[in-house]
Amino acid sequence: MKRKRKIYSIDNQNYLIDTDKHCLYDVESIGALKNGHRIFSCLIDDLDNNITVKTRKWGSVNENFEEVIPCKYECLSEYRENIYSATILNPTRTGECLDKYFYFLMDENGIPIVLHNIDDKGINKELIVRFESFIATSEFKQGLAVGLSFDRKQGGVRSDGSLLLEPKYDYIYRCT
């Protein structure tokens, strides 16, 4: 069973403790409790040209300071109640890669989503489509987006939640 990471305060310093990796990460900031979540940032070791550097990442914890949305995003902010706007670095970014980041919305559990306004017999309703097989999706254009899978492969998704291309590609270039 995978253990959750949790923020602890030790000698007036906050740390995100990962018991699986036996790591302490310095927590830089913790936001106020809002809708059962606190957005926080910490310094995470990252590889940049095979050199380990500390980079600021964002995530959220619940009222017990247990990590809910993993601290791995370049940016995380509340879009509205229980929906967050997130940015994650494209792991396949290269010099010719135009899409350096994935910008997307996610629910309170860190699952990428897209919102649709639909007319149901004259009543405007909102439909939330979840992409549970993906870490992130690019912005949707004409109902299509690139999805980043948990094994860092890319595929194509439609805004209705259906799969256009299996996530088996190292990089999908979106022509404009």
Side-chain angles (χ1 to χ4, degrees):
M1 180 176 162
K2 186 173 178 159
R3 295 183 197 110
K4 287 209 178 250
R5 300 192 305 184
K6 186 173 180 176
I7 293 177
Y8 291 93
S9 184
I10 302 169
D11 295 331
N12 295 321
Q13 170 63 42
N14 292 318
Y15 298 97
L16 177 65
I17 297 181
D18 186 329
T19 55
D20 288 339
K21 292 183 179 178
H22 309 286
C23 292
L24 296 174
Y25 300 106
D26 293 332
V27 174
E28 289 192 315
S29 67
I30 304 174
L33 186 65
K34 197 171 182 185
N35 300 314
H37 287 256
R38 295 175 194 269
I39 293 176
F40 74 99
S41 70
C42 62
L43 295 174
I44 301 280
D45 292 336
D46 218 351
L47 279 179
D48 186 14
N49 292 326
N50 293 324
I51 298 171
T52 301
V53 294
K54 292 211 178 276
T55 58
R56 179 179 296 116
K57 300 292 184 178
W58 297 85
S60 82
V61 291
N62 62 20
E63 58 275 352
N64 298 319
F65 293 93
E66 297 165 328
E67 189 178 49
V68 178
I69 296 176
C71 189
K72 63 182 178 184
Y73 298 95
E74 311 317 305
C75 184
L76 182 68
S77 61
E78 187 175 46
Y79 179 75
R80 64 166 208 240
E81 186 175 339
N82 296 323
I83 296 178
Y84 298 88
S85 175
T87 305
I88 193 169
L89 202 57
N90 184 342
T92 60
R93 67 193 187 284
T94 62
E96 71 272 356
C97 174
L98 301 176
D99 301 322
K100 186 174 180 181
Y101 297 98
F102 284 91
Y103 303 97
F104 59 102
L105 296 177
M106 67 170 61
D107 67 14
E108 69 274 12
N109 298 309
I111 297 171
I113 63 170
V114 65
L115 303 174
H116 292 287
N117 289 315
I118 58 171
D119 185 341
D120 184 17
K121 299 175 185 169
I123 299 172
N124 190 26
K125 292 185 178 180
E126 184 174 68
L127 174 68
I128 298 175
V129 178
R130 288 176 170 73
F131 297 89
E132 295 185 25
S133 299
F134 294 92
I135 297 172
T137 59
S138 66
E139 293 179 274
F140 281 85
K141 294 179 183 170
Q142 299 173 341
L144 300 175
V146 175
L148 178 64
S149 69
F150 289 96
D151 64 357
R152 302 287 197 208
K153 296 294 183 180
Q154 295 185 13
V157 294
R158 295 183 184 96
S159 61
D160 65 2
S162 63
L163 198 57
L164 176 67
L165 295 170
E166 289 289 328
K168 61 182 180 180
Y169 302 96
D170 291 329
Y171 180 71
I172 294 178
Y173 178 74
R174 185 173 180 89
C175 300
T176 55

